[in-house]
Amino acid sequence: MKRARVTLADVAAMARVDRAVVSRVVNKDPTLNIRQETRERVLAAIEELGYRPNVAARSLRTSRAHMFGLFIPDFANPVYAEIIKGAESEAAAQGYVLVTGSATGAGLGEYMDRIGQGRIDGLLLAGTGEDADLAAQLDQAAIPWLMLNNRSQGVKRYVILDDQRAAALAVEHLVRLGHRRIAHLAGPSRADTAARRSAGYSAAMRDAGLPEGPITAAGYTPAGGAAAMARLLAEAPEGERPTAVFVANVASAIGAMEGVRAAGLEIPRDVSIVAVHDLDLAGYLNPALTTVRMPLAELGRRGVRLLGGLDPDATVAEVLTGPIELIHRRSTAPPPD
Amino acid sequence: MKRARVTLADVAAMARVDRAVVSRVVNKDPTLNIRQETRERVLAAIEELGYRPNVAARSLRTSRAHMFGLFIPDFANPVYAEIIKGAESEAAAQGYVLVTGSATGAGLGEYMDRIGQGRIDGLLLAGTGEDADLAAQLDQAAIPWLMLNNRSQGVKRYVILDDQRAAALAVEHLVRLGHRRIAHLAGPSRADTAARRSAGYSAAMRDAGLPEGPITAAGYTPAGGAAAMARLLAEAPEGERPTAVFVANVASAIGAMEGVRAAGLEIPRDVSIVAVHDLDLAGYLNPALTTVRMPLAELGRRGVRLLGGLDPDATVAEVLTGPIELIHRRSTAPPPD
DNA sequence: TTGTATGCGTTATCAC
DNA sequence: GTGATAACGCATACAA
C-alpha cells in the first residue's frame, strides 16, 4: 500500500480548519485559543491520516535542524562508543537527533562538506585536536561547536575530563601497593589527553618522592601498546626493570599486556599494569585489568547540553567533575621483593 | 565575525546573473550552456562569499535528504563498528550522510519519531530483528529499508552474511585438529545470526560424522559467555568434557575464555576455542583467539549500495558472498590425548 | 546563453 | 477562535 505523503493541508482539509491551526496544534502553541471540539477534530485527522511533520520544510522555515553533529576519529574505539551513548541520550532528551561521523577515509573538512549547511545546529568534536587551523575551518560554518575530551592549541572551546587526576589515581594505587620503579606508557605525543595523563603521572611521582621511570609513547591501539611495552622492557637495565607500568589508555594496555608476556614476564608477578578507561572487557582479560573509570557518557551528555544553549562564538573551558574511580582487578599487585 | 547566511540570491547578485544560473552551476547541470566567462564569475562569487547550499531548502524542493539512517542496538559492540564504517564510507562515496542511531534507552519506534519525516532517504537495520511487527512499523515511513546481518520472521528485505558457512569453517578447523567432542556456545535464542551459526555447527558436525556436543545459549556479551561456559563445563560428565567449543560470537568468546580458566582448565591444552568475527583485539588476548573473519564492512557497504536504488516495497533477500576466513591463533590446538 | 515563474511544506504575523 | 498570506532557499520547466 503506497500511501502518498500527507501534509498539513491534508489534515486541515479533513478537519475542516486552516493549516495554521493544525500547525499550532501540532506544535502545542500555548497562545492558541481553540475550542476543545476543534482540537479533537484536528487530532483525529492527524491520527487518521498518520500525519508526520516534514522535517525539511520545518527546518527551512525555522532555520533549526534539531540535529547535532558529533565527529570522532574511529567507531572501533570503545572509548568513543561511551561518549556517543551519552551524547545520543541527551540529544534525544532534548528532541534532537545526533549524527555521528567518523574520520574513516576522510577528514573533518570533507565531513563538513557532506553535512552541508543548515543540517546541524551544533557540532561536537571528540578526539580531533591535531589540526592547527581547526577553528578557522569551523568558523566558516557559523554554528556552535565544542571540542570534547581534548583541546586544540589556543582554542577555548572545550570540555574535558580530569585526566591528570585519573593518572594520579592510578599512580597512587601503584605506590600504595609498594611500587617504586613505575614506568609510563604514554599516548600519542600530539594528543592532548596523553599530555594531561603524562602530567598527572609526573606530578604523582613527584608527590610520592619517586623518580620518574622510563616513559615511552604509543598510539592508543593494542599494536602500539605491544610495541611500546617491548621497547620499554628491552631498554631497562637488568635489576632496574620497572615493577609497574601506568598505561595511558586501555586499548594500548591490552597490547602492553601481550608485550609483557612476549618478554617472558608475568602480570602482576613481575609487572603490574593499570590503565585509563574502564571497559566491560577489562574484567575478562587474563589477568583482569585494573583500570581507572572515567565518566565518558557524562562527557557526551554534558557536551550536548552545552551545545544547546551556546552562542556561536562563546568561550567554553570546562573540566568535567564527575566520578573518577579506580577499579582494582588482578593486573596490579605488590612488587616482587 | 558574524557572517550572515549567504544564499543563492547573494551569489547571483554578486555575479550579476540569475539565481537559476547559479543553481545550475552548483549542481553541475550538464544541459546548461554557459559562457566560460560567466561560469567563472559565478564560481568566483561562490568562493568569495563562501556560499554553501542550504540542505533544508534543497531537500524540501527535491524531496531527497541525501541522508541514510542506520539503526543498531549498541555502539559498544565492535561488530557494529565495522558495519558502520563500511556503510559510512559507501554513503560518503555517494554523497550521502549516514546517521547512525542506537537503541540506547529507546526502541526503533522512538528513533523513527525523532528522525521524523523526510530526513532520511532510506534506513538500514542491523541487529534489530525481534519485533514481529517491524515491517508494519516501517511501512508507515514509506521509505526504503533493509535489514542488515539478520532477518525478521516473514520479512523479505535483508542482506546477511553466510553465517552458516562461517560456523562450518570453525568446526572443520576443530575437526581437522582432531577434536571429536565439540560443544557449541550459541548466541541468544531469538537472534537470527545465532540460529544460522547453530545450523552451520550442526551441519558441519553431521558432515564430519560426529555427534553434536552440548549446546548452550548466551547473549553476545562477555558476561553471557562466561556464565554459559561455566554451565557447559559443569554439566559435562567427567571424561566426556568437550575438548573444543565453537562460540557464536567473539564478545561472548572473551567471556567464555574466562569461564574456562575459572573452571581451572587451560586454553588450548584442555579446551580449544574458536569464535565468529575477528577483531584487532583477538590477537592480543591471552591466549590469542582463533576467529572466523567476516566481511562486516562489506556488509555495510552493500547495504547502502542497495538502499540507493531501492523501491520502497522491493523485495531483497541476499546472502553476501565475501571472503570468510579462518584466522588461526593460539586458542585452538589438537586435543589432549 | 540566460532569465522568469512556481511550488516544495511549514511557521509566523496578521486580519477578521 | 480561526483564516489568509507571506516568506524560508532552492530547483526546474519553460520562456526569451
Side-chain angles (χ1 to χ4, degrees):
Chain A
M1 181 189 63
K2 183 153 295 190
R3 50 166 77 243
R5 193 148 68 253
V6 20
T7 74
L8 266 192
D10 300 325
V11 176
M14 171 173 259
R16 280 167 299 123
V17 294
D18 192 84
R19 296 170 337 196
V21 175
V22 181
S23 172
R24 299 171 71 186
V25 167
V26 168
N27 295 326
K28 305 200 203 321
D29 180 347
T31 76
L32 170 63
N33 247 347
I34 192 177
R35 242 192 314 242
Q36 182 59 17
E37 177 205 312
T38 315
R39 156 170 279 132
E40 273 162 13
R41 253 199 350 265
V42 171
L43 260 17
I46 289 176
E47 173 73 12
E48 166 89 16
L49 296 172
Y51 167 74
R52 323 282 320 240
N54 180 301
V55 184
R58 173 176 281 181
S59 181
L60 176 59
R61 183 59 229 244
T62 62
S63 55
R64 317 207 69 228
H66 281 267
M67 190 146 113
F68 287 133
L70 169 58
F71 187 71
I72 61 171
D74 186 3
F75 278 102
N77 187 331
V79 168
Y80 296 117
E82 279 306 307
I83 295 179
I84 295 175
K85 283 205 231 181
E88 185 181 39
S89 71
E90 177 64 24
Q94 295 188 17
Y96 276 67
V97 173
L98 185 77
V99 46
T100 307
S102 85
T104 309
L108 177 62
E110 215 209 85
Y111 174 74
M112 293 298 290
D113 281 353
R114 283 213 312 284
I115 284 290
Q117 175 135 113
R119 186 168 288 171
I120 58 173
D121 301 326
L123 179 62
L124 255 23
L125 295 164
T128 312
E130 286 104 63
D131 330 34
D133 53 1
L134 196 78
Q137 276 192 62
L138 286 164
D139 283 348
Q140 291 267 44
I143 55 163
W145 60 274
L146 212 52
M147 303 196 62
L148 228 51
N149 201 31
N150 66 345
R151 305 166 300 183
S152 185
Q153 194 69 303
V155 173
K156 280 276 176 300
R157 266 171 164 295
Y158 57 81
V159 32
I160 55 175
L161 295 174
D162 196 345
D163 290 282
Q164 186 151 350
R165 193 157 83 78
L169 232 55
V171 172
E172 286 161 12
H173 168 68
L174 295 172
V175 170
R176 214 175 305 119
L177 286 172
H179 292 276
R180 297 186 50 79
R181 289 197 303 280
I182 303 174
H184 176 36
L185 205 164
S189 54
R190 306 152 323 190
D192 177 51
T193 49
R196 298 203 310 279
R197 287 169 204 163
S198 293
Y201 162 80
S202 296
M205 292 299 277
R206 195 170 346 99
D207 288 353
L210 260 29
E212 291 190 13
I215 300 181
T216 317
Y220 287 153
T221 63
M229 180 60 89
R231 268 202 315 280
L232 197 70
L233 295 175
E235 286 169 4
E238 184 58 34
E240 289 179 31
R241 199 207 307 127
T243 61
V245 182
F246 162 56
V247 183
N249 171 277
V250 62
S252 35
I254 291 173
M257 290 172 80
E258 176 58 25
V260 172
R261 290 188 294 267
L265 269 23
E266 204 175 291
I267 306 169
R269 195 197 58 194
D270 304 311
V271 182
S272 283
I273 306 260
V274 53
V276 172
H277 289 317
D278 192 49
L279 297 182
D280 229 33
L281 194 110
Y284 294 94
L285 296 173
N286 180 23
L289 182 64
T290 297
T291 61
V292 179
R293 179 185 292 155
M294 305 281 277
L296 289 166
E298 183 56 33
L299 181 68
R301 268 194 293 276
R302 181 68 185 151
V304 168
R305 214 172 297 133
L306 281 171
L307 216 49
L310 200 64
D311 192 85
D313 20 53
T315 178
V316 180
E318 177 171 321
V319 178
L320 191 71
T321 64
I324 298 184
E325 190 185 358
L326 188 113
I327 312 289
H328 189 178
R329 298 204 182 86
R330 311 293 303 277
S331 69
T332 48
D337 328 282
Chain B
M1 180 193 62
K2 184 153 296 190
R3 52 167 74 241
R5 199 157 51 255
V6 19
T7 74
L8 268 192
D10 300 325
V11 176
M14 170 172 260
R16 280 168 296 124
V17 294
D18 192 83
R19 297 173 340 195
V21 175
V22 182
S23 173
R24 299 171 71 186
V25 167
V26 168
N27 296 327
K28 307 198 201 318
D29 180 346
T31 76
L32 170 64
N33 249 346
I34 192 178
R35 242 192 312 246
Q36 182 60 15
E37 176 206 313
T38 313
R39 156 170 279 134
E40 272 161 15
R41 258 204 340 272
V42 171
L43 260 18
I46 289 176
E47 173 73 13
E48 166 90 16
L49 296 172
Y51 167 74
R52 324 284 319 237
N54 180 300
V55 183
R58 173 177 281 182
S59 174
L60 178 58
R61 181 61 231 253
T62 62
S63 53
R64 318 205 66 226
H66 281 266
M67 190 148 113
F68 287 134
L70 169 57
F71 187 71
I72 62 170
D74 185 4
F75 279 102
N77 188 330
V79 167
Y80 296 117
E82 279 307 307
I83 294 179
I84 294 174
K85 284 205 231 180
E88 185 181 39
S89 70
E90 175 65 25
Q94 297 189 14
Y96 276 67
V97 173
L98 184 76
V99 46
T100 307
S102 84
T104 308
L108 177 63
E110 216 209 83
Y111 174 73
M112 292 299 289
D113 282 353
R114 284 213 312 284
I115 284 290
Q117 175 134 114
R119 185 167 290 172
I120 58 174
D121 302 326
L123 179 62
L124 255 24
L125 296 163
T128 312
E130 285 103 65
D131 329 34
D133 52 2
L134 197 77
Q137 275 190 66
L138 287 165
D139 283 348
Q140 293 267 43
I143 56 163
W145 59 274
L146 212 53
M147 304 196 63
L148 229 51
N149 201 29
N150 66 345
R151 306 168 298 183
S152 184
Q153 195 67 306
V155 173
K156 281 276 176 299
R157 266 172 164 296
Y158 58 80
V159 32
I160 55 176
L161 295 174
D162 196 345
D163 290 283
Q164 186 151 351
R165 193 157 83 80
L169 232 57
V171 171
E172 285 161 13
H173 168 68
L174 295 172
V175 170
R176 212 174 307 118
L177 286 172
H179 292 276
R180 299 188 48 82
R181 288 197 304 280
I182 303 174
H184 176 35
L185 206 165
S189 53
R190 304 153 323 189
D192 178 51
T193 49
R196 297 202 311 278
R197 287 169 204 162
S198 293
Y201 162 79
S202 297
M205 291 299 277
R206 194 169 346 100
D207 288 354
L210 259 29
E212 292 190 12
I215 301 181
T216 317
Y220 287 152
T221 64
M229 181 61 88
R231 267 201 316 279
L232 197 70
L233 294 175
E235 286 170 3
E238 184 59 34
E240 289 180 32
R241 200 207 307 126
T243 60
V245 182
F246 161 57
V247 183
N249 170 278
V250 62
S252 36
I254 291 172
M257 290 173 79
E258 176 59 23
V260 171
R261 291 188 292 268
L265 268 22
E266 205 175 291
I267 305 168
R269 196 197 57 193
D270 304 311
V271 182
S272 283
I273 305 260
V274 53
V276 172
H277 290 317
D278 191 49
L279 297 182
D280 229 33
L281 194 108
Y284 294 93
L285 296 173
N286 180 22
L289 181 65
T290 297
T291 61
V292 179
R293 179 185 292 154
M294 306 280 277
L296 288 166
E298 183 55 34
L299 180 69
R301 268 194 293 275
R302 180 68 186 152
V304 168
R305 213 172 297 134
L306 280 171
L307 217 48
L310 201 64
D311 192 85
D313 19 53
T315 179
V316 181
E318 176 170 321
V319 178
L320 191 71
T321 63
I324 298 185
E325 189 185 358
L326 188 112
I327 311 289
H328 189 178
R329 298 204 181 87
R330 313 291 303 277
S331 69
T332 48
D337 330 281

